Amino acid sequence: MYAEERQQAIADLLTQRGRLSVNELADRFTVTTETVRRDLSTLERAGIVRRVHGGAIPAASLSVLEVAVNERDLAQSDQKDRVAVAALDFLPPTGGSVLLDAGTTTARLAGLLPIDSTFTIFTNAVPIAGRLAGRPNVDLHVLPGRVRRTTQAAVGEETVEAIRRLRTDVAFVGTNGLSVAHGLSTPDASEAAAKSAMLRSAQRVVVLADSSKIGHESTVRFGDLEQVDVLVTDEGLSPDDRATLAAHDIEVVVA
């Protein structure tokens, strides 16, 4: 596990548990206590946790650490593969239009698009655009904006305005967190603005999120659960969470 991935996991765990000791974290992640202390120092400098005697507590109720896209692609890889395959069932009929959000799971979906159907694809993701640019069955539209180095997603007022002019058949949207209390959330405000516009720009919204995102809350809220038509996740989703999401009229698909 890469340091950034482990630090994100530590931040998430502290958000859920409230307080953990250095020894507990070392055992959980199979690393030395010195490694945990270095991780906690990094998180404390970022303002995410506060060191206390023998361990750490959250500096606030939300995690603000954002892992680069190439690091995130390694996390929950098998689950993301299954989610992407299951999401194929929600593609529109041939000739339909699709809005693809930036993200490691949506990128997997892009790579799985059937070659015997034609699609008009809109995306703000540089990796997805690169993957689809040579596909003869895809009419590709790359959304304008400033590209963030962390996620390789176009963001900003120009991006949001371009999304607002769209009305696609379906939008596949990623999220860093999904909870009843905080809705859909992500660490960056500019990325949140683009995602928020996506939720309003499609006839059907399909959220792709591995189960580690369910119950997690990130810094910036970009949507309500009521704006989600379908959630595609993996078998790590708890029965209680599934029931709660179904109660919000979300079709839950477990891959």
Side-chain angles (χ1 to χ4, degrees):
M1 180 181 288
Y2 285 78
E4 293 89 348
E5 182 185 342
R6 185 177 59 250
Q7 289 160 14
Q8 176 69 71
I10 289 173
D12 293 345
L13 196 59
L14 282 167
T15 298
Q16 298 166 13
R17 300 275 294 275
R19 177 172 181 154
L20 287 167
S21 72
V22 169
N23 289 335
E24 285 177 302
L25 291 168
D27 289 343
R28 184 177 184 92
F29 295 101
T30 321
V31 294
T32 66
T33 55
E34 286 305 312
T35 296
V36 170
R37 290 190 180 95
R38 286 195 296 271
D39 288 338
L40 293 178
S41 294
T42 299
L43 293 170
E44 187 172 46
R45 287 194 298 271
I48 296 167
V49 308
R50 184 159 63 88
R51 300 285 297 275
V52 295
H53 180 68
I57 61 175
S61 60
L62 300 177
S63 169
V64 296
L65 183 67
E66 188 170 17
V67 180
V69 66
N70 59 331
E71 303 292 346
R72 288 189 291 117
D73 194 44
L74 299 173
Q76 308 291 327
S77 180
D78 290 343
Q79 293 91 328
K80 290 174 182 178
D81 287 341
R82 293 198 298 272
V83 168
V85 171
L88 290 170
D89 289 341
F90 299 96
L91 287 169
T94 187
S97 56
V98 177
L99 180 56
L100 276 177
D101 185 17
T104 55
T105 310
T106 49
R108 284 168 163 80
L109 172 61
L112 295 172
L113 291 177
I115 61 175
D116 58 349
S117 296
T118 59
F119 301 102
T120 299
I121 304 288
F122 298 87
T123 186
N124 67 328
V126 173
I128 290 176
R131 180 168 289 186
L132 296 178
R135 294 282 296 270
N137 63 319
V138 171
D139 180 14
L140 178 64
H141 298 256
V142 184
L143 297 170
R146 171 181 63 86
V147 176
R148 297 187 67 225
R149 286 188 294 272
T150 306
T151 59
Q152 299 174 31
V155 297
E157 292 183 7
E158 193 178 8
T159 311
V160 171
E161 183 57 33
I163 296 170
R164 284 175 177 166
R165 292 196 294 267
L166 300 177
R167 188 63 172 171
T168 60
D169 293 316
V170 62
F172 293 97
V173 181
T175 185
N176 295 77
L178 187 156
S179 73
V180 173
H182 196 52
L184 303 166
S185 56
T186 196
D188 181 74
S190 58
E191 198 133 354
K195 290 175 180 289
S196 181
M198 290 180 185
L199 297 181
R200 298 189 295 270
S201 295
Q203 296 183 43
R204 195 179 201 190
V205 173
V206 180
V207 171
L208 308 184
D210 65 77
S211 59
S212 69
K213 311 291 178 60
I214 311 304
H216 176 69
E217 297 179 351
S218 201
T219 315
V220 186
R221 175 175 178 164
F222 67 86
D224 299 325
L225 296 187
E226 286 72 20
Q227 294 176 278
V228 179
D229 297 300
V230 181
L231 168 67
V232 185
T233 187
D234 61 76
E235 59 188 6
L237 182 70
S238 73
D240 288 345
D241 283 338
R242 182 168 187 168
T244 298
L245 293 168
H248 282 77
D249 293 326
I250 297 174
E251 179 183 350
V252 178
V253 176
V254 176

